Amino acid sequence: MNTPFPQPNFYGTGALMAANVSVRVGKGNEKEWFPLSPRVRTHCTKLGNLPHGSTIRGTPARAFKALIAHRDGDSNFNHLSIGEEKVLRMTEVWILAGQLNLFSVQNELLSVYRDHYIQKRKLGKPIRVPAAPFDYVRKLYDAGTELRIPDFLLNWYAGLHGRDLGHRLKNSDLRSTDRHDILATAERNRYYGKDPLVHSFNRFKVSLERGDSVNPTSLKIEHPPQQQDVMQMQMQHQQQPQQIQ
């Protein structure tokens, strides 16, 4: 749902915009406004260059919220630790970080989830194997593209189910190709007696200079009207609430 255009802060009576900048993010009609703190803008060049009132399309608002929270100090990505969708949300944030050239964030995110993985293995509690994370990757990359994130997903699910894996996959909504790849990954890991997420984690990290071998589709960014028009919109908004379509 669209929300009203937020009022920017100004220094004194001048027309200079204050350090805080807000942008609108989301897909379709589900967009939210997010303030970008000076810290966030400093640690992400692409976001730092956005003027107040810009719109970022093509990424879930929840992924953007988690990413800027991380840049603002949420080092453990606590905004992602919610329910059974946490792996999908991790995938969304990993791809968004690549779109913003935040390659170190991609590696930090997978490191945090590696720790979650090790904890879950110790508990031995089975989890669902949803299709959503794999389907989300397909939306943004060409078929057959070799990437770190699907490799991470395959090993994540292959390692958390042990001998019960085949039975649980039959009851999932996975595509047959994903089901086959998870089973093949589990069989390979058992054959070599090593879990890549534990013993060779560096293979999942991207280059800090270039990112992954193939980067995702660029974000769609719409810049706001000229600053004078933005100020006029604020005055109109003060007199009569309105929404940007």
Side-chain angles (χ1 to χ4, degrees):
M1 182 176 182
N2 289 333
T3 52
F5 192 93
Q7 297 184 28
N9 297 317
F10 295 92
Y11 287 122
T13 58
L16 292 176
M17 193 168 291
N20 285 341
V21 168
S22 291
V23 297
R24 192 171 60 155
V25 181
K27 293 184 174 182
N29 293 325
E30 299 297 324
K31 297 184 181 66
E32 297 180 32
W33 285 102
F34 292 96
L36 302 180
S37 69
R39 181 175 180 178
V40 167
R41 295 166 64 201
T42 298
H43 289 289
C44 180
T45 302
K46 285 192 174 183
L47 294 181
N49 290 333
L50 292 181
H52 178 81
S54 298
T55 298
I56 301 175
R57 301 182 184 275
T59 190
R62 64 188 185 185
F64 191 82
K65 179 179 180 180
L67 187 141
I68 62 174
H70 175 71
R71 293 281 80 183
D72 246 339
D74 178 18
S75 59
N76 291 322
F77 294 93
N78 292 320
H79 282 73
L80 291 176
S81 301
I82 302 175
E84 293 184 345
E85 287 191 339
K86 65 185 304 181
V87 178
L88 170 60
R89 296 190 181 196
M90 178 270 292
T91 304
E92 293 170 345
V93 174
W94 188 91
I95 291 177
L96 174 60
Q99 291 172 315
L100 293 173
N101 293 344
L102 295 174
F103 306 131
S104 64
V105 173
Q106 290 182 298
N107 293 339
E108 292 163 10
L109 176 62
L110 293 194
S111 293
V112 169
Y113 269 71
R114 173 182 182 262
D115 293 340
H116 290 328
Y117 171 83
I118 292 173
Q119 293 172 6
K120 287 180 178 295
R121 286 211 63 175
K122 290 179 179 178
L123 293 174
K125 184 179 179 180
I127 62 173
R128 290 179 60 250
V129 187
F134 297 97
D135 291 341
Y136 189 75
V137 173
R138 285 192 184 90
K139 290 180 181 179
L140 297 174
Y141 293 91
D142 294 332
T145 303
E146 293 188 6
L147 301 165
R148 266 76 166 184
I149 191 63
D151 188 24
F152 184 91
L153 293 172
L154 291 174
N155 282 278
W156 170 282
Y157 290 117
L160 288 179
H161 289 284
R163 301 292 179 180
D164 188 45
L165 180 60
H167 172 71
R168 297 196 67 83
L169 291 182
K170 287 181 180 179
N171 298 321
S172 73
D173 58 351
L174 287 167
R175 296 189 184 193
S176 59
T177 52
D178 294 331
R179 190 178 295 113
H180 172 272
D181 289 345
I182 293 174
L183 288 170
T185 299
E187 184 176 348
R188 182 182 65 244
N189 292 348
R190 282 197 298 269
Y191 177 81
Y192 287 106
K194 291 186 177 181
D195 185 335
L197 286 176
V198 177
H199 301 104
S200 52
F201 179 68
N202 283 340
R203 74 184 245 187
F204 303 104
K205 293 183 178 181
V206 302
S207 165
L208 295 179
E209 291 76 30
R210 301 181 305 277
D212 209 342
S213 56
V214 177
N215 286 317
T217 305
S218 298
L219 291 170
K220 297 178 181 178
I221 298 176
E222 297 176 3
H223 294 293
Q226 294 297 321
Q227 189 61 49
Q228 183 177 355
D229 295 334
V230 173
M231 294 174 64
Q232 183 178 0
M233 292 171 66
Q234 301 314 307
M235 291 186 289
Q236 293 175 352
H237 177 66
Q238 291 176 359
Q239 298 172 1
Q240 181 178 355
Q242 65 178 20
Q243 292 187 340
I244 292 182
Q245 301 299 324

